[in-house]
Coordinates of all heavy atoms in Angstrom, one line a residue:
G142 N 57.2 42.7 -20.2 CA 56.3 43.3 -19.2 C 56.0 42.5 -18.0 O 56.6 41.3 -17.8
L143 N 55.3 43.1 -17.0 CA 54.8 42.4 -15.8 C 54.0 41.2 -16.2 O 53.1 41.3 -17.0 CB 54.0 43.4 -15.0 CG 53.9 43.0 -13.5 CD1 55.1 42.9 -12.7 CD2 52.8 43.9 -12.8
T144 N 54.3 40.1 -15.5 CA 53.7 38.8 -15.6 C 53.9 38.0 -16.9 O 53.6 36.9 -17.2 CB 52.2 38.8 -15.5 OG1 51.6 39.3 -16.7 CG2 51.7 39.6 -14.3
D145 N 54.8 38.8 -17.8 CA 55.2 38.1 -19.1 C 56.5 37.5 -19.1 O 57.0 37.1 -18.1 CB 55.2 39.4 -20.2 CG 53.9 40.1 -20.4 OD1 53.0 39.3 -20.7 OD2 53.7 41.3 -20.2
S146 N 57.1 37.3 -20.3 CA 58.4 36.6 -20.4 C 59.1 37.2 -21.7 O 58.4 37.9 -22.4 CB 58.1 35.1 -20.6 OG 57.4 34.9 -21.9
P147 N 60.3 36.7 -21.9 CA 61.0 37.2 -23.1 C 60.3 36.9 -24.4 O 60.5 37.5 -25.4 CB 62.3 36.5 -23.0 CG 62.6 36.3 -21.6 CD 61.2 36.1 -21.0
Y148 N 59.3 36.0 -24.4 CA 58.6 35.8 -25.6 C 57.8 37.0 -26.2 O 57.7 37.2 -27.4 CB 57.4 34.8 -25.3 CG 56.7 34.3 -26.5 CD1 57.3 33.3 -27.4 CD2 55.5 34.8 -26.9 CE1 56.6 32.9 -28.5 CE2 54.7 34.3 -28.0 CZ 55.3 33.7 -28.9 OH 54.7 33.3 -30.0
S149 N 57.5 38.0 -25.2 CA 56.8 39.2 -25.6 C 57.3 39.9 -26.7 O 56.7 40.5 -27.6 CB 56.6 40.1 -24.5 OG 55.9 39.5 -23.4
L150 N 58.7 40.0 -26.9 CA 59.4 40.9 -27.9 C 60.2 40.0 -28.9 O 61.1 40.5 -29.5 CB 60.2 41.9 -27.2 CG 59.5 43.0 -26.4 CD1 60.5 43.8 -25.6 CD2 58.6 43.8 -27.3
R151 N 59.7 38.7 -28.8 CA 60.5 37.7 -29.8 C 60.6 38.2 -31.3 O 61.7 38.1 -31.8 CB 59.8 36.3 -29.7 CG 60.4 35.3 -30.6 CD 59.5 34.1 -30.5 NE 58.2 34.4 -31.2 CZ 58.0 34.3 -32.5 NH1 58.8 33.8 -33.4 NH2 56.7 34.5 -32.9
S152 N 59.4 38.7 -31.8 CA 59.3 39.1 -33.2 C 60.3 40.2 -33.5 O 60.9 40.3 -34.5 CB 58.0 39.3 -33.6 OG 57.4 40.5 -32.9
I153 N 60.3 41.2 -32.5 CA 61.1 42.3 -32.7 C 62.6 41.9 -32.5 O 63.5 42.3 -33.3 CB 60.8 43.5 -31.7 CG1 59.3 44.0 -32.0 CG2 61.9 44.5 -31.4 CD1 58.9 45.0 -30.8
G154 N 62.9 41.0 -31.7 CA 64.3 40.6 -31.5 C 64.7 39.8 -32.7 O 65.9 40.0 -33.1
E155 N 63.9 38.9 -33.2 CA 64.3 38.2 -34.4 C 64.5 39.2 -35.6 O 65.4 38.8 -36.4 CB 63.3 37.1 -34.7 CG 63.3 36.0 -33.8 CD 62.2 34.9 -34.0 OE1 61.3 35.3 -34.6 OE2 62.4 33.8 -33.5
H156 N 63.8 40.1 -35.9 CA 63.9 41.1 -36.7 C 65.2 41.8 -36.7 O 65.9 42.0 -37.6 CB 62.8 42.1 -36.9 CG 63.0 43.1 -38.0 ND1 62.8 42.7 -39.3 CD2 63.3 44.3 -38.0 CE1 62.9 43.9 -40.1 NE2 63.3 44.8 -39.3
L157 N 65.4 42.3 -35.5 CA 66.6 43.0 -35.2 C 68.0 42.2 -35.5 O 69.0 42.7 -36.0 CB 66.8 43.7 -33.8 CG 65.8 44.8 -33.7 CD1 65.7 45.2 -32.1 CD2 66.2 46.0 -34.5
A158 N 67.9 40.9 -35.1 CA 69.0 39.9 -35.3 C 69.3 39.8 -36.8 O 70.4 39.8 -37.2 CB 68.8 38.8 -34.5
S159 N 68.2 39.6 -37.5 CA 68.4 39.4 -39.0 C 68.9 40.8 -39.6 O 69.3 40.6 -40.8 CB 66.9 39.2 -39.5 OG 66.1 40.2 -39.5
S160 N 68.8 41.8 -38.9 CA 69.3 43.0 -39.5 C 70.7 43.4 -39.0 O 71.3 44.5 -39.3 CB 68.3 44.3 -39.0 OG 67.0 44.0 -39.6
G161 N 71.4 42.4 -38.3 CA 72.7 42.6 -37.9 C 73.0 43.1 -36.6 O 74.1 43.4 -36.2
F162 N 72.0 43.0 -35.6 CA 72.2 43.5 -34.2 C 72.4 42.2 -33.2 O 71.6 41.2 -33.6 CB 70.9 44.2 -33.8 CG 70.8 45.6 -34.3 CD1 70.2 45.8 -35.5 CD2 71.3 46.6 -33.6 CE1 70.2 47.0 -36.1 CE2 71.3 48.0 -34.1 CZ 70.7 48.3 -35.2
E163 N 73.2 42.3 -32.3 CA 73.2 41.5 -31.2 C 71.9 41.6 -30.3 O 71.6 42.8 -30.0 CB 74.5 41.6 -30.3 CG 75.8 41.4 -31.0 CD 76.3 39.9 -30.8 OE1 75.5 39.2 -30.0 OE2 77.3 39.5 -31.4
V164 N 71.1 40.7 -30.0 CA 69.9 41.0 -29.3 C 69.9 40.0 -28.1 O 70.3 38.7 -28.0 CB 68.8 40.5 -30.3 CG1 67.5 40.7 -29.4 CG2 68.7 41.4 -31.3
V165 N 69.5 40.7 -27.0 CA 69.5 39.9 -25.6 C 67.9 40.1 -25.2 O 67.6 41.3 -25.1 CB 70.3 40.3 -24.7 CG1 69.9 39.7 -23.3 CG2 71.8 39.8 -24.9
G166 N 67.1 39.0 -25.1 CA 65.8 39.2 -24.5 C 66.1 38.7 -23.1 O 66.2 37.6 -22.9
L167 N 65.9 39.5 -22.1 CA 66.3 39.4 -20.8 C 64.9 38.9 -20.0 O 64.0 39.5 -20.0 CB 66.8 40.7 -20.0 CG 67.3 40.5 -18.7 CD1 68.5 39.8 -18.7 CD2 67.5 42.0 -18.1
R168 N 65.1 37.7 -19.4 CA 64.1 37.4 -18.4 C 64.2 38.1 -17.2 O 65.4 38.0 -16.4 CB 64.2 35.8 -18.2 CG 63.1 35.3 -17.3 CD 63.4 33.9 -16.7 NE 64.5 34.1 -15.7 CZ 64.4 34.4 -14.5 NH1 63.3 34.6 -13.9 NH2 65.4 34.6 -13.8
L169 N 63.3 38.8 -16.7 CA 63.3 39.6 -15.5 C 63.0 38.9 -14.4 O 62.3 38.0 -14.3 CB 62.4 40.9 -15.5 CG 62.8 41.8 -16.6 CD1 61.6 42.8 -16.8 CD2 64.0 42.6 -16.3
P170 N 63.6 39.0 -13.1 CA 63.4 38.3 -12.0 C 61.9 38.2 -11.6 O 61.1 39.0 -11.7 CB 64.0 39.1 -10.8 CG 65.3 39.7 -11.5 CD 64.7 40.2 -12.9
G171 N 61.5 36.9 -11.1 CA 60.1 36.6 -10.9 C 59.2 36.1 -11.9 O 58.2 35.8 -11.7
H172 N 59.9 36.1 -13.1 CA 59.0 35.8 -14.3 C 59.6 34.6 -15.1 O 60.7 34.2 -14.9 CB 59.1 37.0 -15.4 CG 58.3 38.2 -14.6 ND1 58.9 39.1 -13.7 CD2 57.2 38.7 -15.0 CE1 58.1 40.0 -13.4 NE2 57.0 39.9 -14.2
G173 N 58.7 34.1 -15.9 CA 59.0 33.0 -16.8 C 59.1 31.6 -16.1 O 59.3 30.6 -16.8
T174 N 58.8 31.6 -14.9 CA 58.9 30.3 -14.1 C 57.5 29.9 -13.6 O 56.8 29.1 -14.2 CB 59.8 30.4 -12.8 OG1 59.4 31.6 -12.0 CG2 61.3 30.6 -13.4
A175 N 57.1 30.4 -12.4 CA 55.7 30.0 -11.8 C 55.2 31.3 -11.2 O 56.0 32.3 -10.8 CB 55.9 29.0 -10.7
P176 N 53.9 31.6 -11.1 CA 53.4 32.7 -10.7 C 53.8 33.1 -9.2 O 53.8 34.2 -8.7 CB 51.8 32.5 -10.6 CG 51.6 31.4 -11.6 CD 52.9 30.6 -11.6
S177 N 54.3 32.1 -8.5 CA 54.7 32.4 -7.2 C 55.9 33.5 -7.1 O 56.2 34.1 -6.2 CB 55.2 31.1 -6.4 OG 56.2 30.4 -7.3
G178 N 56.7 33.5 -8.3 CA 57.7 34.5 -8.4 C 57.1 35.9 -8.3 O 57.9 36.9 -7.8
L179 N 55.8 36.2 -8.4 CA 55.2 37.4 -8.3 C 55.0 37.9 -6.7 O 54.6 38.9 -6.5 CB 53.9 37.5 -8.8 CG 53.9 37.2 -10.5 CD1 52.5 37.5 -11.0 CD2 54.8 38.3 -11.1
L180 N 55.3 36.9 -5.8 CA 55.0 37.2 -4.4 C 56.2 37.9 -3.8 O 56.0 38.6 -2.8 CB 54.8 35.9 -3.7 CG 53.6 35.1 -4.1 CD1 53.5 33.8 -3.4 CD2 52.3 35.8 -3.8
K181 N 57.5 37.8 -4.3 CA 58.6 38.2 -3.5 C 59.5 39.2 -4.3 O 60.2 40.0 -3.7 CB 59.5 37.0 -3.2 CG 58.9 36.0 -2.3 CD 58.5 36.6 -0.9 CE 57.9 35.5 0.0 NZ 57.5 36.1 1.2
F182 N 59.4 39.3 -5.8 CA 60.3 40.1 -6.4 C 60.1 41.5 -6.0 O 59.0 42.1 -5.6 CB 60.1 39.9 -7.8 CG 59.0 40.9 -8.5 CD1 59.2 42.0 -9.1 CD2 57.7 40.4 -8.5 CE1 58.2 42.8 -9.5 CE2 56.6 41.1 -9.1 CZ 56.9 42.4 -9.6
R183 N 61.2 42.3 -6.2 CA 61.2 43.8 -5.8 C 61.7 44.5 -7.2 O 62.3 44.1 -8.1 CB 62.1 44.1 -4.7 CG 61.9 43.4 -3.5 CD 60.7 43.8 -2.8 NE 61.0 45.1 -2.1 CZ 60.0 45.8 -1.4 NH1 58.7 45.4 -1.4 NH2 60.3 47.0 -0.9
V184 N 61.3 45.9 -7.2 CA 61.6 46.7 -8.3 C 63.2 46.7 -8.4 O 63.9 46.8 -9.5 CB 61.3 48.1 -8.0 CG1 61.9 49.1 -9.1 CG2 59.7 48.3 -8.4

């Protein structure tokens, strides 16, 4: 989600991987680094 990071869905991802799925937790632009990323990113 907005202002979040891939950690948000970690538990779901780990469960799906344990069930045989390839799982990618994508870090969306502007996130996971510093709040300044919220100043410039676009949809």
Side-chain angles (χ1 to χ4, degrees):
L143 191 68
T144 76
D145 294 306
S146 70
Y148 184 82
S149 298
L150 294 171
R151 177 190 64 90
S152 64
I153 289 176
E155 289 179 335
H156 179 77
L157 288 173
S159 71
S160 304
F162 285 87
E163 295 270 354
V164 176
V165 169
L167 185 67
R168 183 199 63 85
L169 294 167
H172 293 76
T174 54
S177 58
L179 300 179
L180 296 175
K181 299 295 184 182
F182 84 94
R183 306 284 286 173
V184 168

